[in-house]
Every structure is written in C-alpha cells, then in structure tokens.
Amino acid sequence: MFNFWGSKEQQQGQSRPSPEASATPWYSPSLVTSPSSSRPQTSGQIPSHVSPGEAAGIIAILKDKSVDELRKLLSDKDAYQQFLHSLDQVTIQNNIREELRKETLHLARENLEKEPQIVELRNQNNPYIRACDCSREAQ
C-alpha cells in the first residue's frame, strides 16, 4: 500500500527514476513557499536557532553554487546530506555529540563498576533499615 524509501516494492517498481521523479524535491514544498510570509512554513517542526553570522556564512556558501548545484541540493537527498555534513557548524555539533556520547559511556561504566559496592552497602544497611521501619510501625 505504502512505498517507503528504499523498500523492495519501490526498487522493483522503478529500476530507473523518470525525469519527473528526479526533479521532484524530497522535502516538503511548504518549506519553500509561504503564502503570507517570506519565511518558510515549518508545519510543526521545531524552529532552528541560527545566529545571523552563521546564517550569513551558509548563505555565502550557497551563493557560490550554480543554479544546477542548488537544484541538485533540492532534488537529491544524498547531495543535500553531503553538503549539510560539510558545513563547519554541523561538523562542530557532530564532534560535540560524539564527545558527549563517549563521556556518557564512561560514566555508565563507572556506575556499573560501583554496583558491587552498592549491593554490599545495601546488604550491610538492610538490618538497620528494617529496624527503623519496625520502630516507626510500633509508634
């Protein structure tokens, strides 16, 4: 019923995309056209917060591209992804994300190493906790 990106039905149904299909953008058209505003509609997406300096840098990179290159960015998801990952801001964010992932894994391993100590302390304090609970119930 539904053809998903890269599904077998889609691959079997089209061995080679037609020219109309390759010109069809992979993004929502509402992101480009907006009836009452010069800004694109995001239809429920979280707005991105880009500083004016960062936006100017990206715009300068896009201005250097030819019309054909810009059309390819709009119609080819892989080309867009390659362009996106070539931006300094994206590279920096990816590096920060990787550092945070490594630090989280390190902290998780440290926590797991402390588990035997936690179990031991829990077992040592268990009689005291029960005694406190019993004394509260007696009052």
Side-chain angles (χ1 to χ4, degrees), residues 7-18 21:
S7 67
K8 288 183 181 179
E9 293 84 10
Q10 184 183 19
Q11 291 172 356
Q12 291 171 353
Q14 287 185 336
S15 60
R16 184 165 207 120
S18 65

Side-chain angles (χ1 to χ4, degrees), residues 4-133:
F4 294 103
W5 185 276
S7 67
K8 288 183 181 179
E9 293 84 10
Q10 184 183 19
Q11 291 172 356
Q12 291 171 353
Q14 287 185 336
S15 60
R16 184 165 207 120
S18 65
E20 294 106 20
S22 64
T24 305
W26 56 267
Y27 56 88
S28 170
S30 65
L31 293 175
V32 176
T33 59
S34 175
S36 62
S37 172
S38 63
R39 301 187 107 201
Q41 294 176 345
T42 56
S43 63
Q45 293 179 354
I46 298 171
S48 61
H49 299 285
V50 179
S51 72
E54 290 173 331
I58 295 169
I59 291 169
I61 293 170
L62 291 172
K63 280 185 176 181
D64 290 340
K65 299 224 176 269
S66 69
V67 173
D68 289 336
E69 289 173 317
L70 292 173
R71 284 191 180 130
K72 184 174 182 180
L73 288 176
L74 290 174
S75 62
D76 183 355
K77 191 172 187 176
D78 292 332
Y80 175 79
Q81 288 294 326
Q82 185 178 3
F83 169 74
L84 181 69
H85 290 289
S86 72
L87 297 174
D88 289 339
Q89 297 90 338
V90 175
T91 304
I92 291 168
Q93 288 299 315
N94 286 340
N95 291 340
I96 291 171
R97 184 185 67 221
E98 184 62 23
E99 287 177 26
L100 289 172
R101 187 190 68 79
K102 287 178 182 177
E103 181 64 21
T104 301
L105 283 173
H106 174 73
L107 291 172
R109 286 187 181 112
E110 284 182 353
N111 286 340
L112 288 173
E113 289 173 2
K114 293 177 183 177
E115 188 175 16
Q117 296 171 337
I118 293 170
V119 170
E120 183 181 337
L121 290 172
R122 196 176 283 152
N123 290 337
Q124 289 175 2
N125 290 324
N126 204 13
Y128 300 114
I129 294 171
R130 287 186 188 152
C132 290
D133 288 341

